[in-house]
Amino acid sequence: MASCNKKLYINSYHELKNVIKKIEKDKRIFVFFSGAKDTQGYSWCQDCNAIEKPLNEIVASLLPSNGIFIECSVGDRASWKDSNCLFRKDSQLRLTNIPSLVEWGTSKRLTENQLYDPDMIQILFEDD
Amino acid sequence: MPPTKDADEKSIANLVEKYIDENDVMIFSKSWCPYCKKIKDALKSAKIEFHSIELDKMDEGDQIQKELFKKTKQETVPNIFIKQQHIGGCDKTLEALKSGCVATLLNPPESERKHKKVDNDDLDSKDADEKANANLVEKYIVENDVMIFSKSWCPYCTKVKDALRSAKIEFYSIELDKMGRDLSLFKLLIYIFIYYLAEGDQIQNALINKTEQDTVPNIFIKQQHIGGCDKTLEALKSGRVATLLNPPESEKKHKKVENDDLDSYDYDLIVIGGGSGGLACSKEARSFEKKVCVLDFVKPTPIGTTWGLGGTCVNVGCIPKKLMHQASLIGEYVHDSVDYGWSQLDQARQHSWSKMIESIQQYIRSLNFKYRVDLRSKGVTYENSYGEFLSPHRLKLTDKKGKTKEITGEKIVVAVGGRPKYPDIEGDQQYGITSDDLFSLKYDPGKTIVVGASYVALECAGFLHGIGREVQIFVRSILLRGFDQQMASKIGDYMSTIGMKFHYQRIPTRLECLEEGKPGKLRLHYRQTLESGEIEESYEDCNTVLFAIGREACTNELNLDKIGIEVNKANGFKIKTKEEQSIDIPWLYAIGDCIDEQTMPPGQPLELTPVAIQAGQLLAKRMFSNSTIKMDYYNVPTTVFTPIEYGAIGYSEEDALSKFGEDNIEIFHSEFVPLEWSICHHRDQVKTMSYCKLIVDKNTDRVIGFHVLSPNAGEITQGYALGMRLGATKNDFDMTIGIHPTCAENLTTLSVTKSSGDSAAQEGC
């Protein structure tokens, strides 16, 4: 896969799992979950709309060199609110709210207002 | 001299008085009297001790009965007195029992007790009196520059008072002969924290205890005991009194620390150390909107191990320890499974060290992250830097890259905790590891020698054995120093029985590496004192040597000397504190493992996470609000997570015996078999090793020591800790209904005492 492009857009749970499988083991994967966007690029999730630009700026400046940033849509409102939503049911992910930024493969995550705080994002990106 | 009628009556009256005075519950009885029997039975059921004399069996029986009628207008028996109060006959006493009046007489009510609770030991009322008097005396001495314990009619008291007046020296005196109930009540209302009605005599006794001087005047100047009239006059003449009242310049310099206050500070509070205590304290301080900074930095171990925010407990202590203990318990359950009908689990049983480490470390990392986010969201500034004092209130911070900066704090809390010690032998740091390394060790430790007999040593040895590694333990002298030794030796017995090898009187002398590797091959040379007294030098080969010989506070490199605080090896480099405040510097505080706290019970240092957390929170409240709630270090429950767990609250048997005396305590105990083990063949040899005991203060029936050795002792002990905190008596334990079938219920059915010599083995269900 194209390693120069660090940002990926994913639209479904299965696509997410497939893409992640193919990523090199030495990379750290950060996934940003938000509501699906319409043709104008607006999400049904207001918080997600608000956070998008500031978050992208922060990520652009702070993402570690071995980090991959994936934006993943959890679907339309109905799909997300459904308790059977695959993102909710995944045993490791167990997503409960959006917008959320998660380091894949760990239990580290930030949600909602935390995402406005560059220091919080920095804590997430910090290497152990 | 022929006995006259008067002499007879007088001596009988005295005899009766003596019986009444000397016994809390006194029954004048007759052996054939059914009412006497009735009341005695009732008292026995209520577990109330009494003394009775059978008047029909005594020569002076009739005369005593007459004297009782004179005294009480009651001519019948039983005639009963409780704490020198006349109660009456059988009916009246039964009523008093029922209404709680008897209990109240024997155990004075809460409000009085609370104030006698000077150091939270529940002593009998006589001791409590003594303590209250001692405290009253202290208060007089502390609050008055010149304090004279005097008697109004004493000429020497008058003499010294005149002399002081002439010298225009102000003094405060109390007249011990005038201290009866009314006067002292008024005086004591001024000193409101002791409502106990002091008698002048008892104050004089307290003074004797303190100074060995039994006369008045007894004089203290600036809390220094001077002596009586002559000594004080001499001190006046020699100028010593003047010197005491006005200390010279050089002594005053010490107090100049307060003049080191700065005009402004970067932070209201700096906490050095981001462990259990430090984090709790800093977060609590934020609730008062103070500007708070936490410094946390982990100096890597000799082999390079390091970890994230959270301190010892989270990274290299309680958390990984308990998870590994659980790993070993699961190994044991697999052995048990056969008898429960599971097949093939036992054969398929194998343990992967790296998988266990991976799971545990992942969890620890999530905690490190959680704490980082928590501090940030609560507005606590976090610096991943090493802090050292430059001068009062000022710290130099050095980060991982060596970059430095300075910050100042109006109040500073040292919460740096401790680190494991090395034995200072050749090769120790190079080839040996400690608990700091064990919980993240990247390779299987293989055959391990654990050096030490601390709870860390035994817990680590325990779980290493439980997950299938060969373990030997080198013990210098005794197991679990500071803990109840009977329980310690039972733990040792259990661990040996399940296959761990203990080597006593064995001290390591040199650690050699035979072969590098992960793990490598090591040779630990040692010196062994044999039973004959001979010293043998030999060695043992292994893959890993784990040193667990004790811990020391990390205060050595803080530059505490720059602010006038000394620490030394004798007490593990701990900072001396009183109520978590430095005894030398008022703006410097300390909590957690690094402190030597005056209000802690002597003997057993309470290096525990919940203690540090609560101390930190209460301290923050006292620093930044008008809270006066102090940390209570008594009856703190603890548990050692050895393969058979040991939970304890309160006094060990040794401490109880030395503090209260053999005659004043009763020990109830029992062995028992955990039901879950009773059908497991693989537990045959250890089935009966579970054990519990309660140490009871005979005079108050209060349980002062709780000990249980069994599976899940940690969970059991936490529950009972609440009862201990509320002052539970043996009767409370007995009246608590057990839950069946559990191990914990055994504490509610203890009837065999150590003193009876009867077997403590359990009989049936």
Side-chain angles (χ1 to χ4, degrees):
Chain A
M1 71 171 226
S3 54
C4 56
N5 188 359
K6 282 199 192 151
K7 215 157 159 226
L8 299 165
Y9 298 90
I10 306 287
N11 286 307
S12 81
Y13 177 78
H14 293 296
E15 198 187 335
L16 179 66
K17 298 293 281 264
N18 282 331
V19 162
I20 286 181
K21 242 190 273 189
K22 297 198 192 112
I23 297 178
E24 297 97 5
K25 294 287 170 216
D26 64 335
K27 295 276 189 278
R28 294 175 69 194
I29 305 169
F30 299 95
V31 187
F32 174 63
F33 293 95
S34 59
K37 295 183 185 157
D38 62 18
T39 47
Q40 255 94 347
Y42 287 117
S43 170
W44 56 263
C45 162
Q46 288 298 9
D47 293 332
C48 302
N49 285 328
I51 197 64
E52 181 161 3
K53 195 150 167 284
L55 182 63
N56 280 321
E57 280 174 15
I58 297 173
V59 168
S61 65
L62 294 180
L63 186 71
S65 52
N66 65 344
I68 306 244
F69 183 70
I70 298 177
E71 270 191 51
C72 180
S73 154
V74 299
D76 59 28
R77 196 167 200 280
S79 316
W80 170 243
K81 293 293 183 184
D82 184 357
S83 57
N84 287 320
C85 170
L86 291 170
F87 295 101
R88 290 185 187 271
K89 283 180 67 176
D90 180 297
S91 56
Q92 218 221 8
L93 191 51
R94 306 235 275 176
L95 204 60
T96 54
N97 39 8
I98 54 170
S100 277
L101 178 61
V102 163
E103 178 170 0
W104 191 264
T106 73
S107 59
K108 298 195 224 175
R109 62 189 56 193
L110 298 171
T111 73
E112 295 171 356
N113 285 338
Q114 292 175 326
L115 298 171
Y116 284 105
D117 186 346
D119 287 339
M120 284 286 202
I121 311 265
Q122 176 65 333
I123 292 173
L124 181 67
F125 286 162
E126 238 172 51
D127 221 337
D128 288 321
Chain B
M1 180 177 84
T4 64
K5 184 161 168 288
D6 276 359
D8 263 1
E9 267 183 34
K10 213 157 194 131
S11 64
I12 295 291
N14 285 338
L15 184 59
V16 166
E17 271 326 296
K18 196 163 181 286
Y19 279 120
I20 294 170
D21 274 352
E22 294 196 353
N23 300 291
D24 277 359
V25 180
M26 180 62 208
I27 308 181
F28 295 95
S29 161
K30 283 185 185 172
S31 62
W32 48 258
C33 163
Y35 296 101
C36 297
K37 183 172 185 311
K38 187 170 178 189
I39 190 59
K40 284 179 202 164
D41 283 349
L43 288 168
K44 274 193 200 114
S45 296
K47 291 213 164 63
I48 294 175
E49 286 185 30
F50 59 85
H51 185 74
S52 66
I53 57 174
E54 309 309 319
L55 300 182
D56 56 312
K57 295 223 186 288
M58 296 171 77
D59 284 352
E60 328 92 313
D62 280 351
Q63 291 164 295
I64 294 185
Q65 202 163 1
K66 276 205 191 96
E67 173 62 22
L68 284 169
F69 176 62
K70 236 169 81 180
K71 193 176 163 66
T72 66
K73 297 281 179 282
Q74 180 188 327
E75 48 187 312
T76 53
V77 287
N79 198 334
I80 299 170
F81 292 78
I82 297 183
K83 286 271 187 170
Q84 296 82 47
Q85 284 240 55
H86 180 242
I87 307 297
C90 177
D91 285 349
K92 288 221 173 99
T93 309
L94 284 175
E95 217 176 275
L97 248 179
K98 214 164 88 177
S99 69
C101 181
V102 171
T104 307
L105 281 167
L106 291 175
N107 288 304
E110 258 326 298
S111 57
E112 262 177 81
R113 243 206 269 166
K114 222 183 269 179
H115 298 289
K116 288 180 193 171
K117 216 165 82 115
V118 191
D119 65 349
N120 297 12
D121 294 336
D122 207 37
L123 312 167
D124 62 18
S125 48
K126 181 162 165 288
D127 279 359
D129 288 358
E130 258 180 47
K131 266 247 131 69
N133 282 318
N135 285 322
L136 183 55
V137 164
E138 265 334 286
K139 199 167 198 315
Y140 279 122
I141 294 170
V142 163
E143 294 206 343
N144 300 291
D145 279 356
V146 181
M147 180 63 208
I148 308 181
F149 295 95
S150 163
K151 282 188 183 169
S152 62
W153 47 258
C154 163
Y156 295 99
C157 298
T158 309
K159 188 172 176 185
V160 76
K161 284 179 201 163
D162 285 341
L164 288 168
R165 273 190 213 108
S166 298
K168 294 219 166 49
I169 293 175
E170 284 184 33
F171 60 85
Y172 187 80
S173 67
I174 59 173
E175 309 307 318
L176 300 182
D177 55 314
K178 293 234 187 286
M179 291 182 85
R181 300 208 146 219
D182 296 330
L183 265 180
S184 47
L185 179 57
F186 174 73
K187 274 202 167 74
L188 284 159
L189 283 174
I190 301 172
Y191 296 94
I192 49 173
F193 59 86
I194 299 180
Y195 288 165
Y196 178 71
L197 301 178
E199 302 282 357
D201 281 352
Q202 289 163 311
I203 300 231
Q204 203 160 358
N205 280 338
L207 284 167
I208 294 172
N209 284 341
K210 189 179 168 65
T211 65
E212 289 185 348
Q213 180 188 326
D214 56 339
T215 52
V216 287
N218 198 335
I219 300 172
F220 293 78
I221 297 182
K222 284 271 183 174
Q223 297 83 49
Q224 285 243 53
H225 180 239
I226 308 298
C229 176
D230 288 341
K231 288 217 174 104
T232 307
L233 288 176
E234 214 178 277
L236 251 178
K237 216 162 87 174
S238 71
R240 185 170 167 223
V241 172
T243 307
L244 280 167
L245 290 174
N246 290 303
E249 266 322 301
S250 56
E251 264 176 81
K252 276 227 208 110
K253 214 186 282 176
H254 206 43
K255 295 190 187 149
K256 211 172 81 118
V257 183
E258 278 138 34
N259 298 345
D260 290 327
D261 289 350
L262 308 173
D263 289 327
S264 73
Y265 302 95
D266 297 322
Y267 294 96
D268 297 313
L269 173 67
I270 299 175
V271 178
I272 310 179
S276 306
L279 292 180
C281 184
S282 63
K283 289 191 287 190
E284 185 68 35
R286 278 297 296 155
S287 67
F288 301 105
E289 325 247 293
K290 296 297 167 184
K291 197 151 179 252
V292 183
C293 178
V294 165
L295 311 177
D296 189 68
F297 191 88
V298 179
K299 288 210 160 149
T301 70
I303 66 170
T305 312
T306 182
W307 50 87
L309 179 64
T312 296
C313 173
V314 164
N315 294 286
V316 288
C318 334
I319 302 290
K321 176 266 296 283
K322 187 86 189 293
L323 290 170
M324 293 200 180
H325 172 63
Q326 183 68 7
S328 94
L329 291 180
I330 292 172
E332 288 181 23
Y333 299 148
V334 171
H335 284 314
D336 290 341
S337 68
V338 179
D339 291 301
Y340 279 94
W342 294 94
S343 54
Q344 294 171 354
L345 283 182
D346 213 6
Q347 294 95 294
R349 180 182 178 273
Q350 48 182 351
H351 183 267
S352 158
W353 175 265
S354 60
K355 179 72 181 112
M356 178 179 71
I357 294 288
E358 191 197 316
S359 306
I360 291 176
Q361 284 302 314
Q362 204 175 56
Y363 179 64
I364 292 175
R365 275 197 291 272
S366 76
L367 289 179
N368 299 140
F369 175 75
K370 184 161 107 69
Y371 290 137
R372 289 292 310 278
V373 168
D374 203 18
L375 282 187
R376 173 88 198 131
S377 66
K378 291 201 160 69
V380 175
T381 305
Y382 164 71
E383 298 274 2
N384 187 202
S385 300
Y386 193 82
E388 298 162 281
F389 282 96
L390 288 172
S391 59
H393 299 280
R394 186 177 295 271
L395 291 160
K396 175 173 102 171
L397 273 52
T398 310
D399 73 8
K400 266 193 279 225
K401 301 197 174 104
K403 231 173 72 185
T404 65
K405 72 175 179 199
E406 288 179 19
I407 58 173
T408 57
E410 191 176 351
K411 293 189 201 292
I412 300 185
V413 173
V414 177
V416 296
R419 293 290 287 264
K421 289 198 285 203
Y422 283 86
D424 207 14
I425 61 175
E426 188 186 323
D428 59 358
Q429 295 191 25
Q430 209 176 352
Y431 306 117
I433 63 168
T434 68
S435 55
D436 281 354
D437 304 298
L438 182 65
F439 297 113
S440 56
L441 204 61
K442 291 203 168 42
Y443 53 85
D444 190 314
K447 176 177 167 189
T448 304
I449 297 176
V450 175
V451 178
S454 57
Y455 73 85
V456 174
L458 297 186
E459 286 174 343
C460 290
F463 66 67
L464 284 172
H465 171 87
I467 58 173
R469 308 309 183 270
E470 192 188 322
V471 176
Q472 291 186 42
I473 307 169
F474 283 16
V475 177
R476 190 186 55 180
S477 63
I478 60 171
L479 299 181
L480 296 172
R481 185 177 299 278
F483 286 80
D484 185 293
Q485 284 300 293
Q486 178 196 22
M487 305 308 284
S489 100
K490 281 181 182 289
I491 293 174
D493 288 343
Y494 182 94
M495 289 173 69
S496 322
T497 309
I498 62 173
M500 278 170 272
K501 292 196 173 39
F502 285 84
H503 299 289
Y504 288 87
Q505 308 260 54
R506 192 174 276 198
I507 301 179
T509 52
R510 178 163 74 97
L511 181 52
E512 197 189 333
C513 176
L514 300 175
E515 217 179 276
E516 301 249 334
K518 288 184 186 309
K521 280 214 185 85
L522 302 176
R523 177 164 291 177
L524 182 59
H525 298 263
Y526 61 81
R527 190 176 298 134
Q528 168 112 40
T529 309
L530 303 172
E531 270 184 51
S532 56
E534 259 180 82
I535 310 247
E536 177 192 64
E537 303 221 352
S538 186
Y539 61 80
E540 187 76 49
D541 290 350
C542 61
N543 299 119
T544 299
V545 171
L546 174 73
F547 292 112
I549 57 173
R551 296 173 68 85
E552 275 172 347
C554 302
T555 53
N556 249 335
E557 286 154 49
L558 288 174
N559 285 349
L560 287 170
D561 54 307
K562 295 246 162 68
I563 57 169
I565 294 188
E566 261 180 54
V567 286
N568 48 66
K569 198 171 170 68
N571 76 340
F573 299 111
K574 294 184 177 188
I575 297 175
K576 286 196 175 15
T577 59
K578 181 164 180 209
E579 291 163 18
E580 298 84 44
Q581 183 177 29
S582 158
I583 57 172
D584 300 307
I585 315 282
W587 50 264
L588 201 282
Y589 302 80
I591 51 177
D593 290 4
C594 70
I595 70 176
D596 179 3
E597 166 60 45
Q598 280 187 22
T599 64
M600 271 198 206
Q604 204 191 43
L606 293 169
E607 293 161 358
L608 303 164
T609 280
V611 169
I613 290 176
Q614 186 158 83
Q617 289 169 339
L618 294 177
L619 176 64
K621 289 193 171 106
R622 292 199 306 275
M623 287 194 292
F624 299 117
S625 78
N626 56 9
S627 165
T628 53
I629 303 176
K630 291 182 270 221
M631 183 64 189
D632 181 356
Y633 288 101
Y634 280 78
N635 281 338
V636 171
T638 64
T639 296
V640 181
F641 292 98
T642 32
I644 189 168
E645 295 178 14
Y646 164 44
I649 312 169
Y651 285 88
S652 66
E653 192 170 327
E654 292 83 10
D655 287 347
L657 282 171
S658 89
K659 178 138 198 169
F660 294 88
E662 198 177 340
D663 294 332
N664 293 309
I665 63 174
E666 188 75 85
I667 302 175
F668 295 83
H669 65 160
S670 174
E671 288 171 4
F672 56 92
V673 177
L675 177 65
E676 293 82 2
W677 291 9
S678 60
I679 67 171
C680 302
H681 284 100
H682 118 267
R683 306 263 192 193
D684 276 343
Q685 286 188 297
V686 297
K687 264 205 275 243
T688 54
M689 288 187 173
S690 290
Y691 175 85
C692 62
K693 69 180 175 185
L694 292 178
I695 305 175
V696 181
D697 174 352
K698 270 194 195 158
N699 298 294
T700 57
D701 201 41
R702 175 113 177 251
V703 176
I704 57 172
F706 169 105
H707 301 267
V708 62
L709 181 73
S710 86
N712 304 306
E715 302 291 353
I716 297 174
T717 307
Q718 179 69 88
Y720 281 107
L722 178 58
M724 294 291 283
R725 185 180 156 74
L726 296 176
T729 60
K730 175 65 168 54
N731 192 50
D732 289 324
F733 272 78
D734 293 341
M735 293 302 278
T736 302
I737 309 252
I739 299 172
H740 187 71
T742 63
C743 292
E745 65 173 308
N746 286 281
L747 277 310
T748 65
T749 54
L750 293 173
S751 56
V752 174
T753 60
K754 277 199 178 184
S755 58
S756 70
D758 293 339
S759 162
Q762 198 185 47
E763 292 157 6
C765 169

